[in-house]
Amino acid sequence: MGHHPFPPGFLWGVATSAFQIEGATRDGGRGESVWDRFCTQPGAISDGSDGARACEHFSRYREDIALMRELGVRSYRFSIGWTRVLPSGSGPVNEAGLAFYDRLVDALLAAGIEPFATLNHWDQPQALMPAGGWAARDSVDRFVEYADATSRRLGDRVKRWATHNEPWCIAILGYENGMHAPGLKEPRKALAAAHHLLLSHGRSVPVLRSNVKGGEIGLVVNLVPAHPASPSEADRTAARELDGSFNRWFLDPVFKGSYPADAIDDRVALGHLDSADLPFVHAGDLAQIQAPIDFLGINYYSRGILRSTRVPETENAPRTIPAPPPEAMTDMGWEVYPDGLREILVRVHQDYAVKRLYVTENGCAYSDGPDSSGRVADVRRREYLRGHLLACKRALDEGVPLGGYYQWSLLDNFEWQFGYSKRFGIVWVDFETQQRIVKDSGLWYRDVIVANAVDDEDTRERALRSA
Ligand code: FCB
């Protein structure tokens, strides 16, 4: 049996986001965000729900901080609700909104938990949509204004700041696939949106630096290792294309100051760009996007296994990676593949030489609920977490400067287009009564944090077996 200690000071955390847990969407002067509006579109959310109540964290935050304290969590990654601070997308700021985050941060610090704030976890003010939302360059200034107002207020106490969460999701799911707010299906706008997100990130970095003395400033991206289903050229091309559009499109500008040439050509071939000259990139933009950052946050859930759709199955090589069986999938239909986390951490370290990395999200949806004694025995989640933490450990052993791990998520919550039907929490939430129950995975995580180590087998189960 292996016992795998983590480095001293490793940040054991949990993550949430404002819209997914806060509720109280009309309280405290909060303005409408694109997600409030999206939820009103018929069919947009699979269970017809919205964020109006969610986990009522806006009024129950003290209880939730107490839970984190019980679990021994050292750091809490949360997001600031953009429309709580700037209800209509541009000044004046809403004092009541900032005051809420003041109270939250103070309560975290009093509990000995380090706050880690994300500025944009997808809740852009709806008021910015008539101008085009992220597809419009004006959103860059609006975001910098918001970053400035928020960090001025909280920067004395919050030392770790991420600008955006998963710009790929905002731009591509929001503006190209229409699955997320604002629900557009316009690939050209998606590319402009991606650029404006990156530019607003880069332009906020110096602002955050000056408002947050001694802080760490970074960006959070979701990355997917792209594996060809067979060694055929067609499958390898499909994998390269996904890597280009998903991973490198966001990493290269930030760390190399350019968009990946092959991925630009792919977009031209798809008719999403007229030529390799990107019309939305102005002189000087890429230098600003490349502003040096202190960390990159990586959200990892699964890998991609790419089978070409351009070659008929019968003409393609036999698969060497079969499609994963249903039992290898979480409730999201995502394959459980822990080594992909090690792979992506090592790859980012080697290709981009980032100063520090955090796993800013990792977790799984399983529906296990309380049994008759009120216990939530979510063994699959515990094993998912164990596998991924051991992958982090292997990455550390390979020299990756990994500073912490944030489990997604503290609470079962509003999972975007799936509403309340997918449960990612290590704490069960009854959405009617708002009762919280720490799941077995949460108790296990608490033991990991206390030991600052992960065992590669469950000690109690082993003891039972050998008894
Ligand atoms: C990520 C999001 C997060 C959550 C998880 C499951 O893409 O950042 O808000 O929904 O997926």
Side-chain angles (χ1 to χ4, degrees), residues 69 84 102 108 155 166 193 210 215 218 251 261 274 285 290-291 341 349-351 362 365 374 381 396 437 445:
R69 197 177 177 168
R84 287 204 190 278
D102 252 348
L108 284 166
E166 303 188 349
S210 84
L251 293 170
D274 294 328
D285 283 4
Q290 217 189 340
L341 178 54
H349 173 55
Q350 286 173 351
D351 289 0
N362 175 243
R381 180 171 292 98
L396 281 160
I437 301 174
Y445 193 46

Side-chain angles (χ1 to χ4, degrees), residues 20 121-122 165-166 169 299 301 334 361 408 415-416 424:
Q20 292 178 276
H121 203 122
W122 306 358
N165 178 72
E166 303 188 349
C169 285
N299 294 352
Y301 289 91
W334 298 344
E361 285 180 27
W408 182 274
E415 178 49 35
W416 308 113
F424 276 89

Side-chain angles (χ1 to χ4, degrees), residues 123-144:
D123 48 0
Q124 190 179 43
Q126 178 64 28
L128 301 181
M129 278 316 293
W134 282 113
R137 205 172 160 93
D138 178 61
S139 280
V140 175
D141 289 334
R142 302 287 71 76
F143 180 76
V144 178

